[in-house]
Amino acid sequence: MIIAVDGPAASGKGTIARALAVHYDLPHLDTGLLYRAVGVATARAGRDPDVEADAVAGCRIDETLLTDPELRTEVAGALASRVSRHPAVRAALLEYQQAFARQPGGAVLDGRDIGTVIAPDADAKLFVTASTEVRAQRRHREDALTDYDAILADIEARDARDSGRSAAPLRQADDADLLDTTDMTIGAAVQRAIALVEARIRR
Ligand code: CDP
């Protein structure tokens, strides 16, 4: 079974995807981490994330970079959003993600284009969202050292860039179930996600 989980920054999609992977005993891939690694590698090499050829050079990711805590920062998120709009970067990461999705037994993947591009044939697709303010509050709780207004501005900029780009923009797949977590606890959101997946696979 392939489960696709997409949505904007801090919507809860990563937590939900991890919980679904545990519940169904499936491997999980956080595809945002790949783009974050490309963004950070590009910046560390002194290259320009807005120049496609520079960002493509950052696609040869060293596996150890994927565990670097710097990847979790909002700076890395913004770098990821800049490199991820280049079609050649998306193409370079496509095969790895599709092979992960199609492994025997299936997988759970979360990102921005899983239900639309990476696994359009997924058995269940969730589009996880929440209000911008709630998403900024969640990030602020994880990163209390950064000013709330700066986080809110960053999330708004990232949403605009991710939704407005021409290559695989962030959008809900036609056959995805919408899960708005604005007023939900993590536990309630996970229960709802499982119920939506169950309803899909019983159809
Ligand atoms: O955790 P959060 O939602 O803040 O970010 P993420 O999922 O780690 O993704 C970071 C950035 O990578 C996003 O803002 C997107 O620009 C990009 N991304 C993408 O383009 N496609 C994906 N499948 C995953 C992430």
Side-chain angles (χ1 to χ4, degrees), residues 101-179:
R102 290 178 188 152
Q103 63 186 293
V108 181
L109 288 86
D110 76 83
R112 298 289 187 290
D113 63 339
I114 309 305
T116 51
V117 175
I118 303 298
D121 52 349
D123 301 279
K125 299 180 185 179
L126 298 179
F127 191 81
V128 183
T129 182
S131 75
T132 317
E133 290 71 22
V134 163
R135 291 188 286 124
Q137 282 162 15
R138 288 176 185 163
R139 273 291 137 89
H140 187 53
R141 272 199 297 273
E142 291 166 4
D143 177 8
L145 294 178
T146 309
D147 181 56
Y148 169 81
D149 290 331
I151 293 179
L152 180 66
D154 196 87
I155 284 183
E156 283 172 342
R158 207 134 70 81
D159 283 355
R161 201 159 38 217
D162 291 351
S163 307
R165 71 188 177 207
S166 49
L170 169 68
R171 71 169 182 85
Q172 182 177 352
D174 295 336
D175 53 350
D177 290 310
L178 181 66
L179 175 50

Side-chain angles (χ1 to χ4, degrees), residues 5-130:
V5 184
D6 290 302
S11 55
K13 65 181 185 311
T15 305
I16 288 171
R18 277 192 300 278
L20 287 172
V22 170
H23 184 80
Y24 290 107
D25 196 19
L26 291 170
H28 166 235
L29 179 64
D30 169 2
T31 64
L33 208 53
L34 305 177
Y35 290 96
R36 284 168 181 262
V38 174
V40 168
T42 304
R44 282 185 187 168
R47 299 198 178 96
D48 185 348
D50 297 318
V51 173
E52 187 159 33
D54 280 14
V56 168
C59 287
R60 284 183 295 274
I61 306 167
D62 175 356
E63 292 257 329
T64 57
L65 176 59
L66 294 175
T67 57
D68 190 322
E70 194 186 325
L71 260 50
R72 302 281 169 196
T73 64
E74 203 44 50
V75 170
L79 285 168
S81 173
R82 286 164 66 191
V83 295
S84 71
R85 70 185 176 84
H86 302 303
V89 168
R90 308 202 71 84
L93 301 181
L94 183 80
E95 202 179 313
Y96 177 78
Q97 296 175 82
Q98 289 194 326
F100 192 94
R102 290 178 188 152
Q103 63 186 293
V108 181
L109 288 86
D110 76 83
R112 298 289 187 290
D113 63 339
I114 309 305
T116 51
V117 175
I118 303 298
D121 52 349
D123 301 279
K125 299 180 185 179
L126 298 179
F127 191 81
V128 183
T129 182

